[in-house]
Amino acid sequence: MDLYTYYRSTSSYRVRIALALKGLDYRAVPVNLIRDGGEHRQASYLALNPQGRVPTLTTDEGEQIIQSPAILEYLEERYPDVPLLPTDPLARARHRSVAALIGCDIHPLHNVAVLNRLRSLDVGEEQVMAWIAHWVGEGLKAVESLIGDEGYCFGEPGMADVYLLPQLYAARRFNVPLDSYSRILRVERLALAHPAFQTAHPDAQPDKPE
């Protein structure tokens, strides 16, 4: 498999974690979102992903899948031996609730396209940072109340953690305060000591600038 990725893209980071947890081999194909106006805007990449975003997964059969939720569900169904979702339907729903909260209600509001649009409307940088802190804080407050008191989000590493760790990386990039989220910080400590999460971390990616 080929994963078209950018080192600090939270969506790409999710997929890298899932691939590492499942022990799957893949080739990372860096797509620089900044250089030369963004390689994601070039015709060669748009032929793979018409939306012009990362990640894109090329399967072993040569098919392309875009959007991290679809890629993660594909990996879960295609490679079920190391599951990211438990067997119990209610437990699966709890993982998916956290994943959707982060993927649908937090991350899109600080996506680079949204922030650039705000800036194009003459919103000042201080207001942009306040926007990010508000929406990330609102979302993480809900996540804190939903996850468990021991282990990862719901015990063993799973889909909720795949979404949470990249969101925390983004929160720290934007200097969003995290001290009040004791459960979330517990999960982060555990994950940062786990080899799969370490392998997937932005700092471990070959396209991270020196």
Side-chain angles (χ1 to χ4, degrees), residues 141-162:
K141 183 168 33 173
V143 171
E144 176 77 5
S145 70
L146 290 171
I147 63 178
D149 290 319
E150 296 181 358
Y152 290 81
C153 285
F154 299 107
E156 297 300 316
M159 189 69 77
D161 309 284
V162 165

Side-chain angles (χ1 to χ4, degrees), residues 7-18 21 98-99 102-103 106-107 110 136 140 143 147 151-154 156-173 178 183-194 196-198 200-202:
Y7 80 101
R8 70 180 185 188
S9 155
T10 55
S11 299
S12 299
Y13 188 1
R14 291 172 198 157
V15 177
R16 295 196 305 262
I17 295 171
L21 285 171
V98 170
I102 293 169
I106 305 178
H107 172 239
H110 67 73
V136 173
L140 290 182
V143 171
I147 63 178
Y152 290 81
C153 285
F154 299 107
E156 297 300 316
M159 189 69 77
D161 309 284
V162 165
Y163 276 79
L164 180 57
L165 264 292
Q167 185 57 61
L168 295 178
Y169 174 80
R172 292 190 182 281
R173 275 186 59 215
L178 300 176
R183 290 173 171 175
I184 285 173
L185 292 176
R186 179 201 73 235
V187 173
E188 184 183 44
R189 286 193 299 272
L190 288 170
L192 292 178
H194 190 298
F197 288 88
Q198 292 172 348
H201 194 278

Side-chain angles (χ1 to χ4, degrees), residues 3 5 13 20 54 61 74-75 83 87 106 110 119 129 134 139 142 147 151 177-178 187 191 196 206 210:
L3 179 67
T5 177
Y13 188 1
V54 290
E61 295 75 29
Y74 167 81
L75 294 174
T87 56
I106 305 178
H110 67 73
R119 292 177 178 118
M129 292 299 107
H134 172 78
I147 63 178
L178 300 176
V187 173
E210 294 294 334

